[in-house]
Amino acid sequence: MKQPLVDNNISSIIGNQPLASAIHSSVTSALRCPFVHLVSGKTVRDIFKHSLDAAIRDIEKHPRGKLFRRLIEYGPRNPDDPETLDGDNETTLSDPECGSCVEFIFSHMINRFKGELSELLALDSCIKLFQQLRRNGRLPSDVQLYWGETIQERRKLRVSTKEGGMRWGGFTKGADGLLVDQVSSPKNDSHDFLNVLGVIEVKSMNRSKREVLNQINKHITRLKGGVKLGEKEWASGNLLLAPFRTIKKAESGLLRVMILPSTWKLSRKWSSEKTDRGRIMIFPKPSEPSMQTEFTELDPNVWKITLAWSQESLNQAAYEMTFWYMSQVGKHVYANSKLPKSWEYMTPAQAGYNAIKMMLYYIPLRYISKRQERLATRLYNVYCFGYPLGVDSNEVLWPEDFPEEDE
């Protein structure tokens, strides 16, 4: 069966056709539901592009975002150079900047992309759960689901003990999803109220029930400062929140939904193939998950959705997205620059791929922390040998670590 063009576009970025199809199906389901409110966009391509652009924008605006471009273009100092604590903020990275850049790629870039993928995948499962709860009479027929960047909550400001009370700052990112319905004022004074019926939290990695519910309850607390849905702001006085107490004594009323990935592992199988430029690694083609998405009511009105896709499959896709992003940076860096002599056969995008692998090889030879050295090594291994083989090793891998069967 021929895949939709947009599937192929997503697949070229995340490196997984079945996962791309699942994302396409999930977003399509949301676009077809009149009660689902997404960021602006009428097609799957629009929604995916917005999600991708949001992650990239967040990366580029991050204080360490410029370090990443400098890493691609200039890299670290020569391994034989003495320790360098200060740089010029424009070209070659100092040793502290090298360590900071590795932390940025591993802890921010990968997690940012992974979070966006998880939220897109979770849409379809949420819709199915809420449709079931509506049919069972546990949710009103006119319930509305707001998702992702359409939701903004106020920041909770710290106040001194003497001041007491609670103070609120400006609007920032809110819960991953909110279930609401609009109700008329009981006084008929033309002031409508927003009834918050549920809070959704999506995780791209495994977390305990207590951790996720604590985060959901923090969102509930922040909702007391008001909420902005799309372009409309609801003041705290016009919000109705179902009662809640503690995790152990959760009352019926406010729905809490946690969405987490499965725990199955990717195959570590591989083979190799000889080409004109040497031997390349061949991995099994990505396949559909063997399990189905699971829905479990842990406590009254506390639901856990376990996605069919696993944490490792999302990790692999997020690494692919960072690698793709590096190619885009490479396009920009090398578009008007002469490529190194040994790279002349490469496109600017391929040069971007090659540059990050080379820089990650040299970074552990500089004066960085042991943790940063491990992270740089893991990134290098994954980009050179693929996620399944690269993620488990804390030592630099070499082609000799994967001998051919006849050797």
Side-chain angles (χ1 to χ4, degrees):
M1 179 178 175
K2 188 176 180 180
Q3 297 294 336
L5 181 61
V6 69
D7 275 14
N8 293 330
N9 176 258
I10 297 173
S11 179
S12 68
I13 295 173
I14 69 174
N16 187 323
Q17 182 65 63
L19 179 56
S21 295
I23 291 170
H24 184 277
S25 177
S26 181
V27 177
T28 298
S29 176
L31 289 170
R32 289 175 178 170
C33 282
F35 69 86
V36 178
H37 301 265
L38 305 174
V39 293
S40 58
K42 297 181 179 179
T43 67
V44 176
R45 182 183 290 274
D46 292 338
I47 301 301
F48 181 77
K49 185 178 184 303
H50 184 97
S51 182
L52 184 64
D53 289 347
I56 291 173
R57 185 170 59 250
D58 189 44
I59 290 167
E60 292 178 345
K61 287 185 177 180
H62 194 282
R64 288 179 287 181
K66 187 179 178 182
L67 284 179
F68 179 74
R69 178 191 168 95
R70 287 170 55 202
L71 178 66
I72 295 286
E73 190 167 4
Y74 302 104
R77 292 189 176 275
N78 188 289
D80 296 327
D81 287 350
E83 183 175 6
T84 306
L85 299 179
D86 297 313
D88 60 9
N89 295 319
E90 294 294 335
T91 57
T92 306
L93 274 64
S94 66
D95 293 325
E97 286 175 330
C98 285
S100 182
C101 197
V102 168
E103 296 271 8
F104 177 67
I105 296 171
F106 193 85
S107 302
H108 185 82
M109 287 179 63
I110 292 173
N111 287 339
R112 190 67 178 82
F113 283 128
K114 188 165 54 173
E116 292 291 337
L117 291 179
S118 301
E119 288 188 25
L120 294 177
L121 271 178
L123 275 164
D124 185 54
S125 303
C126 279
I127 291 168
K128 288 176 179 175
L129 173 62
F130 303 148
Q131 288 175 330
Q132 174 189 326
L133 294 178
R134 284 199 309 183
R135 287 193 297 269
N136 295 342
R138 296 177 64 177
L139 283 176
S141 59
D142 57 351
V143 67
Q144 303 290 304
L145 172 61
Y146 283 83
W147 197 257
E149 290 186 11
T150 64
I151 307 163
Q152 294 185 67
E153 299 164 3
R154 289 194 181 276
R155 290 181 292 107
K156 185 180 176 183
L157 300 178
R158 291 185 178 182
V159 295
S160 66
T161 306
K162 293 181 179 179
E163 291 180 75
M166 195 175 293
R167 293 176 57 197
W168 302 101
F171 283 107
T172 186
K173 187 181 186 305
D176 294 322
L178 280 184
L179 272 178
V180 303
D181 69 343
Q182 189 170 320
V183 295
S184 299
S185 168
K187 298 179 181 179
N188 295 318
D189 58 3
S190 74
H191 291 290
D192 289 338
F193 286 78
L194 186 74
N195 192 18
V196 179
L197 302 172
V199 179
I200 302 100
E201 185 66 28
V202 182
K203 291 297 179 189
S204 59
M205 59 190 73
N206 290 299
R207 288 288 182 264
S208 71
K209 170 187 171 182
R210 178 171 294 275
E211 284 180 290
V212 183
L213 288 182
N214 278 340
Q215 192 160 353
I216 288 175
N217 285 344
K218 287 178 182 178
H219 284 299
I220 294 170
T221 299
R222 287 174 59 194
L223 286 171
K224 294 178 181 179
V227 68
K228 192 173 182 181
L229 300 178
E231 297 300 319
K232 185 166 183 179
E233 181 180 338
W234 297 84
S236 57
N238 292 88
L239 282 182
L240 303 174
L241 301 179
F244 78 102
R245 291 180 183 170
T246 66
I247 296 172
K248 293 182 179 179
K249 298 180 180 179
E251 297 181 349
S252 296
L254 191 69
L255 186 69
R256 295 171 179 80
V257 181
M258 59 182 75
I259 305 172
L260 296 96
S262 302
T263 57
W264 53 266
K265 300 289 187 179
L266 295 170
S267 170
R268 266 56 174 171
K269 292 181 179 180
W270 62 275
S271 61
S272 64
E273 183 178 292
K274 290 182 178 179
T275 70
D276 293 340
R277 295 192 176 277
R279 190 164 62 103
I280 60 172
M281 308 287 289
I282 306 295
F283 299 98
K285 288 186 177 180
S287 59
E288 298 284 348
S290 59
M291 64 171 290
Q292 300 293 316
T293 297
E294 297 178 354
F295 301 83
T296 308
E297 189 167 18
L298 302 175
D299 292 307
N301 272 358
V302 177
W303 285 84
K304 177 183 178 181
I305 298 176
T306 305
L307 297 174
W309 292 92
S310 72
Q311 177 175 317
E312 275 209 346
S313 63
L314 293 174
N315 280 343
Q316 183 183 43
Y319 271 90
E320 288 291 334
M321 292 177 80
T322 61
F323 208 24
W324 168 86
Y325 177 64
M326 291 165 191
S327 76
Q328 304 308 296
V329 175
K331 277 184 181 180
H332 188 75
V333 169
Y334 295 112
N336 300 311
S337 300
K338 188 176 181 180
L339 294 172
K341 190 172 182 180
S342 60
W343 296 7
E344 289 176 345
Y345 67 94
M346 299 181 185
T347 65
Q350 290 171 331
Y353 285 136
N354 209 50
I356 190 61
K357 289 190 286 188
M358 182 178 70
M359 303 313 178
L360 287 170
Y361 173 78
Y362 284 116
I363 281 179
L365 304 178
R366 295 301 305 168
Y367 297 85
I368 58 176
S369 71
K370 290 295 183 182
R371 167 186 158 78
Q372 292 164 348
E373 184 179 332
R374 287 195 302 272
L375 296 184
T377 299
R378 186 179 301 176
L379 289 167
Y380 172 80
N381 287 340
V382 170
Y383 293 145
C384 290
F385 298 98
Y387 182 88
L389 300 183
V391 74
D392 296 328
S393 178
N394 289 324
E395 302 293 331
V396 173
L397 295 174
W398 300 92
E400 293 76 17
D401 294 317
F402 307 95
E404 295 182 84
E405 292 183 1
D406 58 353
E407 289 184 347

